[in-house]
């Protein structure tokens, strides 16, 4: 199966080379350089992977959609979304892909909360992630244990159906909405997230909420 | 006649704005509906400044104490609405920019692949 690993990247020179080397055995790597001002792009190019260049920074959602469009055009059977900051574990990619290759799901999402060994900071879990998961379950009628986990695998069918229009950080919610609207079969598998920093704080959560609301009005 | 200097200043300002609006309308920058809408707003401003008692009648009708209060409430509402409209417009333009950036990124990649194939 033709698998593409899409890595959106904005000033990630610290971890990018390691991430690329770790994931390249699992598929063709596409780095979407989202207007980085450091040497991320050169790093990726030197490693011989496909690099798509955003001339200016447009956000993670926008970079993923660019990668998806490219992969779809190249006849991808499976696409994996993978963060450039080293949060995700490359060794878990087969676990995400498996339900798709077995025909059990159209899209598989990683969840930090399916296993009990997760190291999510307490406040991040109970103040941000769990309320966000509850919000998206109530809003879209999905049944998920995690929200805004960027580690996911999409089948060709899902890739055709899902169009990310949320440029910034609201795209995971948009993906959930489109999964439900398009009646795609989805699954969660437990994944491990390594935390380097606190990530999106409470203000980040409000920005996401604002983007979702304005995205709805501005369709 | 206490308001005379302010009335004159506002009238001059409104004349200037209406002149600019008319020019924009003639140059097809404004749609007829937009032109009429803006014209009405500025005429209302003139009426409020020259005949302030009109706002009192309206204020009584809406159950608000003073005409000036009504004018402030309406102005705040209009400003909020305009900010909202601007926000939506900016959001839409951001999406358009993303489309262009994406198109350029994919186009550049395709061209580099074509060039590479051409060289081989």
């Amino acid at each position: 199966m033709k698998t593409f690993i899409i890595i959106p990247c904005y000033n990630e020179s610290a971890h990018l080379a390691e991430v690329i080397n770790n994931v390249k055995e699992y598929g063709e790597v596409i780095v979407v350089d989202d207007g980085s001002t450091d040497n991320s792009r050169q790093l990726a190019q030197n490693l011989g992977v496909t690099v798509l260049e955003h001339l200016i920074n447009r956000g993670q959602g926008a970079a993923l959609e660019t990668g998806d469009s490219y992969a779809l055009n190249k006849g991808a059977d499976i696409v994996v979304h993978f963060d450039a900051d080293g949060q995700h574990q490359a060794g878990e990619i087969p676990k995400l892909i498996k339900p798709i290759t077995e025909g059990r799901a159209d899209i598989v999402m990683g969840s930090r909360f399916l296993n009990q060994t997760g190291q999510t900071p307490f406040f991040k879990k109970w103040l941000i992630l769990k309320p966000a998961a509850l919000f998206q379950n109530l809003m879209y009628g999905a049944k998920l244990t995690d929200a805004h986990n960027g580690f996911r695998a999409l089948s060709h069918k899902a890739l055709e159906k899902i169009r990310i229009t949320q440029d910034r950080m609201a795209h995971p919610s948009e993906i959930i909405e489109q999964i439900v609207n398009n009646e795609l079969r989805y699954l969660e598998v437990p994944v491990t997230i390594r935390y380097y920093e606190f990530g999106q704080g409470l203000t980040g959560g409000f920005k996401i909420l604002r983007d979702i609301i304005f995205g709805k009005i501005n369709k | 006649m206490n308001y005379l200097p302010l009335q004159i200043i506002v009238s001059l300002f409104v004349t200037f704005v209406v002149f600019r609006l008319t020019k924009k309308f003639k140059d097809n920058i404004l749609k007829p509906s937009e032109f009429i809408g803006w014209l009405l707003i500025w005429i209302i401003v003139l009426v409020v400044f020259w005949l302030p008692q009109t706002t009192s009648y309206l204020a009584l009708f809406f159950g608000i104490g003073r005409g000036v209060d009504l004018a402030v409430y309406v102005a705040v509402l209009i400003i909020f609405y305009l900010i909202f409209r601007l926000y939506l417009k900016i959001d839409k333009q951001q999406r358009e920019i993303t489309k262009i950036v994406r198109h350029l990124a994919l186009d550049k990649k395709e061209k580099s692949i074509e060039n590479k194939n051409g060289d081989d």
Side-chain angles (χ1 to χ4, degrees):
Chain A
M1 281 205 164
K2 204 169 181 182
T3 305
F4 287 85
I5 317 286
I6 296 172
I7 307 176
C9 160
Y10 178 63
N11 292 343
E12 293 288 358
S13 57
H15 300 103
L16 188 63
E18 189 192 343
V19 168
I20 291 171
N21 284 325
N22 288 342
V23 299
K24 64 183 176 190
E25 65 177 286
Y26 301 104
E28 187 178 332
V29 179
I30 301 168
V31 172
V32 186
D33 176 48
D34 195 21
S36 294
T37 49
D38 65 0
N39 64 340
S40 298
R41 182 162 52 88
Q42 286 85 345
L43 265 173
Q45 278 168 340
N46 291 343
L47 288 167
V49 298
T50 302
V51 181
L52 302 173
E53 296 171 47
H54 277 185
L55 287 176
I56 49 173
N57 181 254
R58 301 308 303 150
Q60 196 187 40
L64 282 172
E65 179 58 24
T66 301
D68 283 356
S69 301
Y70 180 82
L72 192 61
N73 200 25
K74 294 288 166 197
D77 295 311
I78 295 173
V79 152
V80 177
H81 292 168
F82 200 90
D83 279 5
D85 57 6
Q87 274 197 78
H88 300 153
Q89 313 302 309
E92 291 180 331
I93 291 175
K95 216 163 50 167
L96 250 79
I97 290 175
K98 204 177 166 199
I100 296 176
T101 53
E102 290 176 350
R104 288 190 287 124
D106 300 312
I107 179 163
V108 182
M109 284 159 287
S111 169
R112 283 161 273 202
F113 307 126
L114 277 179
N115 62 359
Q116 296 304 310
T117 55
Q119 294 171 340
T120 312
F122 180 83
F123 286 110
K124 190 176 175 79
K125 181 176 177 178
W126 293 106
L127 273 182
I128 300 168
L129 296 171
K130 279 293 179 186
L134 181 70
F135 173 77
Q136 74 186 10
N137 288 349
L138 288 174
M139 196 157 164
Y140 307 125
K143 283 179 188 148
L144 294 164
T145 58
D146 196 359
H148 290 255
N149 180 329
F151 197 11
R152 60 180 83 82
L154 292 83
S155 66
H156 183 83
K157 185 184 172 188
L159 199 58
E160 277 183 327
K161 299 275 184 191
I162 293 172
R163 291 279 67 83
I164 302 171
T165 63
Q166 288 285 358
D167 289 347
R168 304 279 160 195
M169 299 314 285
H171 65 275
S173 297
E174 189 185 28
I175 290 173
I176 306 297
E177 186 187 9
Q178 293 192 24
I179 289 171
V180 174
N181 289 347
N182 289 301
E183 295 176 354
L184 295 169
R185 293 168 305 154
Y186 62 93
L187 270 182
E188 280 185 306
V189 296
V191 293
T192 318
I193 303 289
R194 193 191 299 157
Y195 288 96
Y196 289 103
E197 53 188 55
F198 197 67
Q200 294 166 51
L202 210 53
T203 46
F206 283 119
K207 275 185 193 165
I208 289 167
L209 201 58
R210 181 200 65 192
D211 286 349
I212 292 171
I213 292 165
F214 276 96
K216 285 253 171 252
I217 299 167
N218 223 5
K219 262 183 183 167
Chain B
M1 298 300 276
N2 285 339
Y3 292 105
L4 200 57
L6 188 62
Q7 283 171 328
I8 290 168
I9 291 167
V10 169
S11 304
L12 283 173
F13 180 70
V14 172
T15 312
F16 168 73
V17 172
V18 170
F19 174 74
R20 297 278 304 163
L21 277 176
T22 316
K23 195 173 179 308
K24 281 190 174 181
F25 179 57
K26 277 183 182 167
D27 294 343
N28 283 330
I29 296 169
L30 284 178
K31 286 184 237 165
S33 57
E34 287 173 324
F35 174 68
I36 292 166
W38 281 112
L39 200 62
L40 274 177
I41 288 172
W42 290 107
I43 288 171
I44 290 167
V45 170
L46 267 192
V47 171
V48 167
F49 272 88
W50 282 96
L51 304 164
Q53 64 275 21
T54 51
T55 58
S56 301
Y57 300 132
L58 275 174
L60 273 176
F61 178 75
F62 287 109
I64 298 164
R66 292 185 308 167
V68 180
D69 292 344
L70 177 70
V72 171
Y73 294 157
V74 172
V76 168
L77 275 179
I78 290 171
I79 288 167
F80 271 123
Y81 174 69
L82 288 179
I83 290 172
F84 179 69
R85 283 273 305 267
L86 272 178
Y87 198 99
L88 289 183
K89 202 166 188 173
I90 291 167
D91 190 58
K92 200 174 174 189
Q93 282 178 349
Q94 290 287 332
R95 286 166 197 242
E96 301 294 326
I97 292 168
T98 300
K99 278 186 194 166
I100 296 168
V101 170
R102 177 169 303 128
H103 178 79
L104 288 171
L106 296 172
D107 203 43
K108 189 178 177 185
K109 190 71 215 167
E110 284 308 313
K111 279 184 180 149
S112 77
I113 292 171
E114 276 169 27
N115 288 341
K116 210 175 168 187
N117 291 341
D119 291 343
D120 288 344

